[in-house]
Amino acid sequence: MASEVDLEIGGMTCSSCALRIEKKLNRMPGVTATVNYATEKAHVLLPDGVSVDDAIRTVEATGYAARTPLLESPPDPTSADPEVEALRQRLLICIVLTIPVVLMAMVPPLQFTYWQWASLTLAAPVVVWGAWPFHRAAWVNLRHGAATMDTLISLGVLAAFGWSLWALFLGGAGEPGMTMTFTLLPHDQGQQPEIYLEVAAAVTVFILTGRYLEARAKARSGEALRALASLGAKDVAVVRDSVEQRVPIGDLRTDDAFVVRPGEKVATDGVVVEGSSAVDNSMVTGEPVPVEVGPGDVVVGGTVNAGGRLLVRATAVGADTQLARIARMVEAAQTGKAPVQRLADRVSAVFVPVVLALSLVTLVGWLIAGAGPQAAFTAAVAVLIIACPCALGLATPTALMVGTGRGAQLGILIKGPQILESTRQVDTVVLDKTGTITTGRMALVEVVPSDGYDAATLLRLSGALEDASEHPVGAAVAVAAREAGALPAVEGFLSTRGLGVHGVVDGHAVVAGRPGWLSSEWAVDETPSLAAERARHEAAGRTVVGVAVDGRSAGLLVVSDTVKPGSADAVAALRQLGLRPVLLTGDNARAAAAVAAEVGIDDVRADVLPEDKVAVVTSLQATGSVVAMVGDGVNDAAALAQADLGMAMGTGTDVAIEAADITLVRGDLMSVSDAIRLSRRTLRTIKGNLFWAFAYNVAAIPLAMAGLLSPLVAGAAMAFSSVFVVTNSLRLRSFRAT
């Protein structure tokens, strides 16, 4: 049986490394692997007969380190990353040593007697120790017959340093009184060779700066995932045999009852048994306002109890919790590769050999053209340095990590990078009514008493009767009645399935049910005014319950599946994004039209059976529409899978969530537009990064070959390209929900 495993990869320095490891793993029989440079992880699908150790040995044979993720406590989001700190120290030391080297080379008044030897003393540690990660990577690649971006960096730095050593020891540049002037263009300074120690040292500093910013960007872009991992409680107050005892979170089991006091985290997913409070869901769902919960309400592990004491029954623990599922989905999205990134990886793989050839052509071409060896050498080194496509390897994964991480903080879970392209193309959004636009729960919206009765009395009597019923309509009436005060007891309660209930409340014979049933079975007819009210409400798609007390019509109870607050604003936001909303429901046309009118939807597909929802999506696609489907129920799963973009409400069923491409944890329809805006912005950032990375190389290489760039300027420009990509990606952290 095939198995999946995630491996932590060490030693990668560019996207070419990731591609080489990926190719090696995929050459193993039956193995399918994806290696992500930004996350430094490999997702490997292993067939029967191939072990994890086999995959690790393959990676190590390629020249890199690999291991399975260590089982340890979640990392502290506030702690410093060791890799980032090591790079920072290396960079700072190299900067201190390089500054005087560059100043002496560029400012002739600073060139004292034997200044060139002082430059050598300062530059040598930078070239050898500071650039050691690049030299080591280049050597490893050479042993395996490969060339990467590190090869270009190492060759460029060593070439500049080697030329300088030759000039100092054999070329006469080491004589006292030697001076040189800084120029942006390659040139020959008479018969006296120049040294390029400032180039070797400065390029190393530039590259280290880029790598440091890359490492810091990767660390910062993974903050959301680390924050999610740290949300869980460390221990919990469990109630067993009526005794409260605090135990480690690992000892908590499903159906255990546990206590959550004010200020404490909810230990795991569960249902409130006792108590009422406000729960802060912001870290999990992105909702800024605490949500009121009481008995029967669902709470999510990792949220914070902001009010009273709660007794909660655990419904899921460990890997089955919503928080764990969110973390897995975010990590899967960050580990995956978009098609455009695979293209960039392939380009990077062939780019380095091409650049090496171009550098050699530049050297030979300048010599043939009659230029001196120094000018030819300078132009060739500039080509090596300027062409390093470091930015290509970070263009997509860094933006993807930041975008998906920010989405997780806002309760928007994007399953994979390929989803981003779908959000750009979508032009139609199909919205399921129940549970998506509406709450999915019936609620009492109006009490209409007849003459001789007041609304409070009517609600009290009917609410007491319906409190004994399990029907959703009756439950809505009972909830509203209990909110108004205590309910009296019911005697002789009987229920007629699908029609109504009757019993004795406070000595009164009370009947509640369909008006037609009251007329035919109990001979209770509505007054003309009540009949008019019933017709009005039914025309609006609401459910009307007739109530009779002591054989006389007492009034009407109007119940409806209420529209979620903000649904109308959400539909308006979708229209602003250029999307056409379509309402899809199994309800009758009258009820569907009423809801559609309330939220501002013109296209309504009503009376649709669950199995026909797929056909509706297919028919829209057949007309040329690119369809997004938003739903929450089991009967929406097939339509979610069929749609070009499936979006499931996090408050819905697991089946719908599994079938969807994006999960909206908040269950708020406004998050649909937020998800599309975030996805589109992430995609724009990726394309902007790639354009810059490609355009930079396409434009700069000819300039370097023509001798219009010095190696020093080339190094600075190359480092800037990486800095631009990572900083542009980090701008996604500023995305705000509507």
Side-chain angles (χ1 to χ4, degrees):
M1 184 177 180
S3 59
E4 294 184 54
V5 64
D6 287 323
L7 299 178
E8 295 180 353
I9 308 297
M12 293 192 298
T13 56
C14 64
S15 60
S16 299
C17 301
L19 186 63
R20 287 210 303 121
I21 299 171
E22 190 172 291
K23 285 183 176 180
K24 290 286 187 179
L25 288 171
N26 285 320
R27 286 172 184 168
M28 299 175 65
V31 172
T32 302
T34 298
V35 181
N36 192 302
Y37 168 57
T39 60
E40 297 181 330
K41 287 186 177 182
H43 183 74
V44 188
L45 181 63
L46 301 171
D48 291 338
V50 180
S51 67
V52 176
D53 290 338
D54 294 333
I56 291 176
R57 282 193 291 269
T58 298
V59 175
E60 291 175 343
T62 313
Y64 302 90
R67 69 179 185 187
T68 54
L70 299 177
L71 296 176
E72 54 186 18
S73 57
D76 182 1
T78 62
S79 62
D81 188 291
E83 179 187 357
V84 176
E85 283 300 303
L87 270 172
R88 181 175 175 272
Q89 289 183 357
R90 187 181 296 268
L91 175 60
L92 290 176
I93 294 173
C94 289
I95 288 175
V96 171
L97 295 174
T98 299
I99 288 176
V101 176
V102 174
L103 289 176
M104 286 188 289
M106 296 178 65
V107 184
L110 298 178
Q111 296 172 1
F112 55 87
T113 304
Y114 294 119
W115 70 272
Q116 63 270 44
W117 296 102
S119 292
L120 176 62
T121 303
L122 294 170
V126 178
V127 172
V128 177
W129 175 78
W132 176 250
F134 313 123
H135 304 323
R136 180 185 176 280
W139 174 247
V140 170
N141 292 324
L142 182 62
R143 287 171 49 201
H144 291 85
T148 67
M149 301 172 210
D150 292 296
T151 306
L152 299 180
I153 297 170
S154 181
L155 281 177
V157 171
L158 291 178
F161 189 69
W163 174 278
S164 301
L165 291 178
W166 175 85
L168 285 170
F169 288 97
L170 301 175
E175 298 294 329
M178 180 268 190
T179 60
M180 56 182 278
T181 57
F182 176 75
T183 178
L184 294 176
L185 304 177
H187 71 290
D188 284 304
Q189 187 175 330
Q191 300 299 316
Q192 182 181 3
E194 292 186 347
I195 59 175
Y196 288 95
L197 293 173
E198 82 283 1
V199 172
V203 167
T204 300
V205 168
F206 291 149
I207 304 301
L208 285 175
T209 301
R211 291 291 169 88
Y212 168 67
L213 292 174
E214 293 169 13
R216 197 173 76 163
K218 289 192 291 184
R220 293 178 67 184
S221 60
E223 285 176 359
L225 189 57
R226 290 193 297 273
L228 285 172
S230 65
L231 279 181
K234 304 298 186 293
D235 53 29
V236 56
V238 179
V239 179
R240 292 171 177 166
D241 299 326
S242 301
V243 178
E244 182 179 327
Q245 52 183 316
R246 189 161 290 274
V247 300
I249 191 64
D251 293 342
L252 186 63
R253 299 290 181 263
T254 303
D255 292 328
D256 278 350
F258 61 93
V259 176
V260 187
R261 292 181 171 82
E264 291 184 341
K265 292 180 180 178
V266 178
T268 193
D269 298 354
V271 177
V272 177
V273 179
E274 295 179 5
S276 60
S277 180
V279 175
D280 184 358
N281 295 329
S282 58
M283 286 297 295
V284 177
T285 67
E287 294 175 280
V289 180
V291 178
E292 295 290 335
V293 297
D297 289 330
V298 175
V299 290
V300 178
T303 57
V304 179
N305 180 16
R309 179 182 181 274
L310 296 175
L311 182 65
V312 181
R313 178 179 60 83
T315 56
V317 295
D320 297 328
T321 63
Q322 185 170 330
L323 189 62
R325 292 199 302 269
I326 290 173
R328 287 197 299 271
M329 292 174 69
V330 174
E331 187 170 11
Q334 295 184 344
T335 304
K337 285 189 180 182
V340 68
Q341 178 61 33
R342 295 189 180 278
L343 175 62
D345 287 349
R346 289 195 292 270
V347 171
S348 299
V350 301
F351 195 82
V352 174
V354 171
V355 170
L356 292 173
L358 290 176
S359 179
L360 182 61
V361 168
T362 301
L363 178 65
V364 175
W366 275 68
L367 292 174
I368 294 175
Q374 184 164 291
F377 168 80
T378 304
V381 171
V383 171
L384 286 176
I385 294 172
I386 196 70
C388 181
C390 300
L392 282 179
L394 296 166
T396 293
T398 306
L400 188 63
M401 289 181 69
V402 179
T404 55
R406 181 58 181 154
Q409 292 175 325
L410 298 173
I412 301 168
L413 306 181
I414 303 172
K415 282 192 176 181
Q418 69 281 359
I419 308 303
L420 302 178
E421 188 67 23
S422 299
T423 62
R424 184 184 66 85
Q425 298 171 340
V426 163
D427 56 30
T428 302
V429 180
V430 177
L431 303 170
D432 178 61
K433 182 181 78 68
T434 306
T436 301
I437 293 179
T438 66
T439 61
R441 294 182 294 182
M442 305 298 284
L444 182 69
V445 296
E446 190 173 347
V447 178
V448 185
S450 63
D451 294 337
Y453 291 91
D454 60 85
T457 302
L458 178 61
L459 180 60
R460 180 174 177 271
L461 294 175
S462 59
L465 179 66
E466 294 285 14
D467 194 38
S469 172
E470 295 182 354
H471 195 278
V473 173
V477 174
V479 168
R482 281 198 301 271
E483 291 176 352
L487 300 178
V490 181
E491 300 175 4
F493 174 84
L494 288 174
S495 173
T496 303
R497 185 177 179 84
L499 296 176
V501 294
H502 62 95
V504 178
V505 181
D506 278 351
H508 298 282
V510 184
V511 184
R514 297 188 179 190
W517 179 64
L518 265 66
S519 177
S520 62
E521 186 70 20
W522 299 92
V524 177
D525 295 322
E526 299 171 320
T527 63
S529 61
L530 289 179
E533 283 292 310
R534 176 169 63 86
R536 179 175 70 83
H537 285 293
E538 288 180 343
R542 302 185 179 104
T543 299
V544 179
V545 178
V547 182
V549 178
D550 297 328
R552 176 170 170 257
S553 178
L556 304 174
L557 304 172
V558 183
V559 178
S560 178
D561 181 8
T562 56
V563 173
K564 289 182 178 179
S567 288
D569 293 336
V571 171
L574 292 174
R575 291 189 184 276
Q576 289 178 353
L577 292 172
L579 305 175
R580 174 170 67 100
V582 177
L583 180 63
L584 180 65
T585 179
D587 283 352
N588 62 75
R590 189 169 54 186
V595 172
E598 187 172 349
V599 299
I601 297 178
D602 303 322
D603 193 343
V604 181
R605 312 294 173 95
D607 296 310
V608 179
L609 297 175
E611 58 269 23
D612 294 334
K613 290 186 177 182
V614 176
V616 173
V617 174
T618 304
S619 66
L620 288 170
Q621 292 171 327
T623 63
S625 298
V626 181
V627 181
M629 170 72 187
V630 184
D632 72 326
V634 174
N635 56 11
D636 299 323
L640 288 168
Q642 173 63 36
D644 300 283
L645 177 67
M647 307 177 75
M649 295 294 186
T651 52
T653 63
D654 290 342
V655 176
I657 292 172
E658 288 296 324
D661 302 306
I662 296 177
T663 300
L664 309 172
V665 180
R666 296 204 310 259
D668 179 7
L669 191 59
M670 186 63 76
S671 60
V672 174
S673 62
D674 291 337
I676 293 176
R677 287 195 303 111
L678 175 61
S679 298
R680 289 180 175 180
R681 182 171 168 183
T682 303
L683 184 63
R684 287 197 303 270
T685 300
I686 290 172
K687 291 186 173 181
N689 288 347
L690 288 173
F691 173 80
W692 169 260
F694 279 112
Y696 151 78
N697 281 290
V698 170
I701 292 176
L703 292 176
M705 294 180 68
L708 299 178
L709 288 176
S710 73
L712 192 64
V713 175
M718 188 269 292
F720 175 77
S721 69
S722 295
V723 172
F724 172 83
V725 166
V726 296
T727 53
N728 190 44
S729 298
L730 289 174
R731 290 171 59 200
L732 288 168
R733 301 172 74 225
S734 64
F735 179 86
R736 295 290 182 267
T738 304

